[in-house]
Amino acid sequence: MSRIHVTTTINDDATEFLCEAEATLLDVLRDELGLTGTKEGCGTGDCGACSVTVDGRLVCSCLMLGAEAEGREIATIEGMAEGEDLHPLQKKFIEMAALQCGICTPGFLVAAKSLLERNPDPTEEDVRYWLAGNLCRCTGYDKIIRAVLETAADMRRAS
Amino acid sequence: MRYEAPRSVEEAVTALAGQTGAHVLAGGTDLLVKLRSEMIAPELIVDIKRIAGMREITAEEGGWRIGAAVSGAEMGEHEGLCADWPGVVEAAELIGSTQVQGRATIAGNLCNASPAADSVPAMVAASAVARIAGPEGTRDLAVIDVPQGPGKTALGPGEFITSIFLPPRGARSGDAYLRFIPRTEMDIAVVGCGISLSLDEAGRISGARVALGAVGPKVILVEAAAEALKHRALDAGALDDLATACARAATPIDDKRGTAEFRRHVAGVLARRVAVIAEARAKGDTA
Amino acid sequence: MALDDSKKTREFKVVGTRPDRPDGIDKVTGRARFGADMVAPGMLTGRVLRSPHAHARILRIDTSRAEALPGVKAVVTRADFGAVPAHVADIMENCLAGEKALYDGHAIAAVAAVSASVARQALRLIEVDYEVLPHVTDVDEAMKPDAPVLHEGRQQETVPPGMSGNVISRCEFGHGDIEAGLKQADRVIERTYRTAATHQGYIEPHACLATMTADGQGELWVCTQGHYMVRNTCAAILGMDQGRLRVTASEIGGGFGGKTTVFLEPVALMLARKSGRPVRMVMSRSEVLRATGPTASTSIDVRIGMTKEGRITAGFAELRFQGGAWPGSPVGMGAMSGFAPYDLENVKTVGWDVVTNRPKAAAYRAPGAPMAAFAIESAIDELAHGFGLDPLEVRLMNGADEGTKSSYGPTYPAIGLKATLEAAKSHPHWTAPLGKNQGRGVACGFWFNFGGDTSVSLSVTPDGTVTLTEGNPDIGGSRAAMTMMAAEELGIPYDQVRTVIADTGALGQNEVTHGSRVTFSVGLATIAAARAAKAEMCRRAARVWGIDPDAVEWEDGAARPAGPNAGKFPPMTIRDIAAIAPKTGGPISGHHEVMAEGAGVSFATHMVDVEVDPETGATKILRYTVFQDAGKAVHPSYVEGQFQGGAVQGIGWALNEEYIYGEDGILQNAGFLDYRIPVASDLPMIDTVILEIPNPGHPYGVRGVGETSIVPPLAAIANAVSAAAGVRMTQLPMSPPRVLAAIQAGG
């Protein structure tokens, strides 16, 4: 079976890969490119652990074929910090204990960053509904929601 | 399995017509789930997102033409569309999570032919029309005639939907959609209800389209509900009659998402709530 | 180790603060490696073929076509394992079926292939002939004498003759005279309650990577709550010496009890042995739901008598738990725990362990206790309201205290139940006004907490920083807690200690991360190991100073002469001592091995407000407050996190989560779409109040906190929904159709 050659941009790096037609973007990220920060919790778009952005749009990488990445700009959790500098959301999640096991954390961070880029001043309800597709079984969401709201407030003050 | 991303409708039709078991990929939020669970094993996937116009919303004859690859999120960001057809947009925006919104399309929602598809009752209430391309050329088909039963559509071999047309929003009219789900998000509709209403100058209902989802093998346009509302103010009596008509029209089943009895009852409850919102919008409330 | 009495008003410096967790950066950057994130050169992909039937005799398995497929490197079935020791026989059967498939999703065969797509094709080429048998999935149905029987010869002597072979055992707890007690009551209530099976719902599916060398040495990378358990179990199943299998725990993406046994691991090792290649296996979500441990579904009868003043005169419960296809439902712990919050003269519980054609129940956070609490706390609430009594006052009046003989036998030392009730009573939540269609519920919960085998090692590095080596996977911040206790004890800053979770080659046996044991047991061992290291450092200083080691004490991270008579020497810090260690006797470390006891039971009271939509039966959680005794909260943020997480799992259990089987015995909702765990938009903030009644069995007073928080919510929410809807709900989940039907029937 012939594999498809794809040229794309991942975390600002020009990237090429070969994939089978049925391979999802998640399969490609994890198994071809070694970007295992993006997690698979369900493979059906119900848990959000595989969240990435494609051309700035938040999506589940398990619901997209690798072949569709041609010419797109993909951003994953691995591109969220700038070198040693963590994104304010990453810092806040650690500071406020917004993770317990940590498996859902990359997906939450990618999704929350996408929210704050669109809406720098979200209400608690905005945050809860935006993140409804990210399942967390450990925290009961409380500390995650607080961390996102506090980060938003910090970023507004800083800007 | 092969993957193709044609640049024109003609190329897509040729690809689809030339391969039995070919599947169209727009948002992919249903297709990839089926692939993964091995419900389908297609020889060919035709990605229509790179065809010109598929990702655009354009004004047309006072209405809106929505390309088949426009995502729910993109619909929600389109001011003109939101102003004219808030019910259709809110239905589209209920499909799945924020992540799914980034990809899922109303054309795909329609073609998936799930009885519980959220956008379909809203589109039916809006008298939406699907434009279909195929080996025989292009044809228009009312959205209500597209689903033929669970998983079945009226599309022929090699045909695919290229756009959905929403007609002009008339004066003093409004639409709304609500669904019932056990949680607040992430569930499939147990009952869905879309209503589009027009009012006369006295504020009485001059026309109504009431559509129900998830209470039959396909979307149900409740003619009796429209009749019950006609030329009446939306008072308690009219709402009662609407609810009764909807509960009667529903032909639900018991399944893992709800009982038939529950669905029939909730169809009426939702219809009342949706009608009140649609009426408020028709009167000019923008909420 | 007893609570430190010498420093009754101990001022903690590190314990009780909220430092950043040491693994935080790895987990927010995607660098942390979980079960499915590991690779090995030449790695194959393993996949499992599963039964499409709820109950079937396996007549024949033909793997020859699969084996012939190019790219397939090994195929295994139960036959490859031969006889296994009795203590792992049921686990083996669950990993790969022998004579019968016992539930939908039961593993039948497995393949290892060069890619996932080849492995998938190979599974389709395996031919299995089944003789489909009648099945049973409901606990009450399974107990009927004419029910299809899963196993012959498994019924224990505790079961009276004449009962279905599916009834495996009976247990009984309590004291006093129930009938006499009930006669003293002004009202006796008798109710039957039912709960559905729920899944732990960890977001990370089971995953492992196995290698086996030709000389029989194995390595396993696995997401588990206990890699020592994995080693011991796999070694027994594969007939290996435990020392020849080294198991490394990956980061673990949630467990809640569900990762306290093995599913894939022995199969992966066998595939690796047969293929001579590393084999990685990762479950899909549907496999996780179909074939890994949900908890039991239950049917519980309760009889409780109460005086009109609110005194409980007798409490009786009969609990029927189905725990899936093999014996071992948590009915015993349910029967022991249900009445544990109360000081009762007459109390008795009877439990029945029943098998059905469902996946084998695994532990789920306080196994057995939430269901028992749901039944008993609902009945108490109904009695209290019937007499017009305050449900918190009724619980205080009957509440257990130090010296109470518990319903399951032991007499309590200092406990925190009444502290949680008093805190609830004085909290503003209790008196906040409620609106239309709204209701408030409260309930109490109990959990035993466990200790168990624990082995840790603490090394002082040559530069005077510290490495703590422990053997329990960090499932929710325990590295931080251990680091804090080591730093506290050594008197050095938190960032001078690094905690490492070692593989099975590095330490003695460590019990699984379960039973809320880790902060207690590993913490206790860490403190002991730190004390051993401190004693050694005092000896080294004494040697340098030429004084008696007893004349040296440790304070604020340094050895100091103990009092003016010991001599005048400047303090030697841990860095000073480490630097000269080669000259004073070599490396410095402390270690501790213990079968930890004295875990200290834990109690909680939960309070919840709900609103029920009378037209649809939908319930919205408006406000939620957890009051729980933590003994001593080491890292309060993570203690709060345990309270919140347990409460929300309980909310899911109460309102929406359930295993739904069709008439055909097939699981109908094997995915996160229809197995509905709470999402962020379903919930309010979960408020927490930490009480600290020190555990007499731990030097700092620590009690486990992880499990108690899931015990009260089922009942608390049922009590709130019942109040809001005006009808008593006795069956979980309280899904909208069920609540609406109850409202319509009641109205």
Side-chain angles (χ1 to χ4, degrees), chain A residues 30-31 37 39-41 77 90 94-95 97 99-101 103 109 128 132 135 137-143 146, chain C residues 21 28 30 36-37 199-201 203 252 285 364 637-638 640-641 644-645 649 657 678 680 683-686:
Chain A
R30 292 181 53 82
D31 297 335
K39 305 299 181 189
E40 177 171 321
I77 185 65
Q90 293 174 306
I94 298 174
E95 181 191 317
L99 58 144
Q100 283 179 34
C101 80
I103 193 85
L109 287 166
R128 287 187 180 277
L135 300 183
R137 192 60 158 172
C138 294
T139 64
Y141 304 101
D142 181 297
K143 291 184 191 299
R146 288 180 200 274
Chain C
R21 61 192 285 165
V28 300
D37 297 341
H199 194 275
Q200 296 84 351
I203 307 300
I252 174 170
R285 177 55 51 186
Y364 179 21
S637 296
Y638 289 99
E640 293 161 1
Q644 292 162 337
Q649 284 185 316
E657 291 178 37
L683 299 162
M685 294 298 184
I686 307 295

Side-chain angles (χ1 to χ4, degrees), chain C residues 404-418:
Chain C
T404 296
K405 181 177 167 57
S406 71
S407 58
Y408 64 101
T411 298
Y412 291 129
I415 56 171
L417 172 76
K418 286 188 175 173

Side-chain angles (χ1 to χ4, degrees), chain C residues 12-156:
Chain C
F12 289 103
K13 292 191 170 127
V14 184
V15 165
T17 65
R18 300 174 187 243
D20 289 353
R21 61 192 285 165
D23 52 336
I25 290 176
D26 281 350
K27 285 183 176 159
V28 300
T29 55
R31 286 203 288 260
R33 280 190 299 185
F34 290 83
D37 297 341
M38 187 60 97
V39 292
M43 184 175 86
L44 302 174
T45 297
R47 284 182 84 97
V48 176
L49 180 71
R50 296 184 181 277
S51 169
H53 305 295
H55 195 191
R57 195 170 305 284
I58 299 168
L59 303 176
R60 185 183 70 102
I61 306 178
D62 183 349
T63 59
S64 56
R65 288 177 64 213
E67 281 160 16
L69 184 71
V72 172
K73 302 298 179 187
V75 182
V76 304
T77 65
R78 173 67 184 83
D80 288 283
F81 289 83
V84 301
H87 74 282
V88 292
D90 289 350
I91 297 173
M92 173 75 254
E93 289 291 309
N94 198 20
C95 291
L96 279 172
E99 290 177 9
K100 290 206 292 185
L102 290 168
Y103 58 91
D104 166 44
H106 193 172
I108 304 294
V111 303
V114 292
S115 72
S117 51
V118 174
R120 266 198 303 273
Q121 275 182 59
L123 291 186
R124 287 197 286 269
L125 296 175
I126 297 175
E127 294 167 21
V128 186
D129 291 345
Y130 294 101
E131 177 196 350
V132 177
L133 302 170
H135 64 270
V136 61
T137 56
D138 177 77
V139 63
D140 291 321
E141 292 297 320
M143 290 180 79
K144 289 181 178 166
D146 58 345
V149 174
L150 275 75
H151 307 281
E152 299 295 340
R154 294 297 293 267
Q155 195 164 69
Q156 297 177 10

Side-chain angles (χ1 to χ4, degrees), chain C residues 208-254:
Chain C
C208 65
L209 170 57
T211 60
M212 282 278 262
T213 56
D215 63 355
Q217 298 189 68
E219 302 257 344
L220 197 57
W221 163 270
V222 55
C223 66
T224 177
Q225 290 177 243
H227 42 308
Y228 291 81
M229 169 279 297
V230 171
R231 176 193 64 185
N232 302 352
T233 308
C234 290
I237 287 175
L238 280 101
M240 299 169 69
D241 291 335
Q242 292 175 356
R244 291 175 77 76
L245 179 59
R246 175 168 167 248
V247 183
T248 305
S250 70
E251 295 302 324
I252 174 170

Side-chain angles (χ1 to χ4, degrees), chain C residues 308-335:
Chain C
K308 60 184 188 299
E309 293 77 28
R311 182 69 201 159
I312 298 171
T313 59
F316 173 80
E318 183 163 356
L319 305 94
R320 297 169 293 273
F321 282 32
Q322 73 71 29
W326 289 276
S329 82
V331 70
M333 288 190 283

Side-chain angles (χ1 to χ4, degrees), chain C residues 73-403:
Chain C
K73 302 298 179 187
V75 182
V76 304
T77 65
R78 173 67 184 83
D80 288 283
F81 289 83
V84 301
H87 74 282
V88 292
D90 289 350
I91 297 173
M92 173 75 254
E93 289 291 309
N94 198 20
C95 291
L96 279 172
E99 290 177 9
K100 290 206 292 185
L102 290 168
Y103 58 91
D104 166 44
H106 193 172
I108 304 294
V111 303
V114 292
S115 72
S117 51
V118 174
R120 266 198 303 273
Q121 275 182 59
L123 291 186
R124 287 197 286 269
L125 296 175
I126 297 175
E127 294 167 21
V128 186
D129 291 345
Y130 294 101
E131 177 196 350
V132 177
L133 302 170
H135 64 270
V136 61
T137 56
D138 177 77
V139 63
D140 291 321
E141 292 297 320
M143 290 180 79
K144 289 181 178 166
D146 58 345
V149 174
L150 275 75
H151 307 281
E152 299 295 340
R154 294 297 293 267
Q155 195 164 69
Q156 297 177 10
E157 288 169 0
T158 50
V159 179
M163 295 188 84
S164 163
N166 295 324
V167 182
I168 300 297
S169 64
R170 178 188 185 277
C171 61
E172 185 180 321
F173 302 92
H175 55 253
D177 182 336
I178 296 297
E179 295 309 322
L182 291 174
K183 285 200 188 97
Q184 297 162 31
D186 292 312
R187 187 180 169 204
V188 175
I189 200 170
E190 274 193 73
R191 292 277 180 275
T192 298
Y193 302 87
R194 296 173 66 84
T195 69
T198 57
H199 194 275
Q200 296 84 351
Y202 33 82
I203 307 300
E204 182 200 28
H206 298 261
C208 65
L209 170 57
T211 60
M212 282 278 262
T213 56
D215 63 355
Q217 298 189 68
E219 302 257 344
L220 197 57
W221 163 270
V222 55
C223 66
T224 177
Q225 290 177 243
H227 42 308
Y228 291 81
M229 169 279 297
V230 171
R231 176 193 64 185
N232 302 352
T233 308
C234 290
I237 287 175
L238 280 101
M240 299 169 69
D241 291 335
Q242 292 175 356
R244 291 175 77 76
L245 179 59
R246 175 168 167 248
V247 183
T248 305
S250 70
E251 295 302 324
I252 174 170
F256 315 106
K259 292 175 182 168
T260 58
T261 183
V262 299
F263 299 99
L264 297 173
E265 296 82 352
V267 179
L269 284 164
M270 185 59 83
L271 285 167
R273 183 188 271 177
K274 275 189 99 169
S275 66
R277 301 257 297 260
V279 175
R280 186 169 75 182
M281 299 185 82
V282 181
M283 279 195 196
S284 67
R285 177 55 51 186
S286 129
E287 289 181 287
V288 169
L289 287 164
R290 283 172 77 200
T292 72
T295 188
S297 65
T298 75
S299 163
I300 303 172
D301 299 334
V302 174
R303 257 194 311 159
I304 299 178
M306 190 181 275
T307 66
K308 60 184 188 299
E309 293 77 28
R311 182 69 201 159
I312 298 171
T313 59
F316 173 80
E318 183 163 356
L319 305 94
R320 297 169 293 273
F321 282 32
Q322 73 71 29
W326 289 276
S329 82
V331 70
M333 288 190 283
M336 289 162 80
S337 65
F339 285 107
Y342 301 108
D343 181 0
L344 303 178
E345 269 181 45
N346 307 297
V347 59
K348 182 174 161 183
T349 53
V350 172
W352 300 93
D353 183 21
V354 181
V355 294
T356 65
N357 295 110
R358 293 185 183 224
K360 164 95 175 78
Y364 179 21
R365 204 170 197 157
M371 308 82 137
F374 164 60
I376 290 162
E377 294 288 315
S378 290
I380 291 174
D381 199 71
E382 193 177 345
L383 281 165
H385 283 290
F387 287 126
L389 299 171
D390 177 323
L392 285 177
E393 291 293 354
V394 166
R395 286 173 171 85
L396 271 168
M397 184 189 300
N398 294 284
D401 218 331
E402 186 168 358

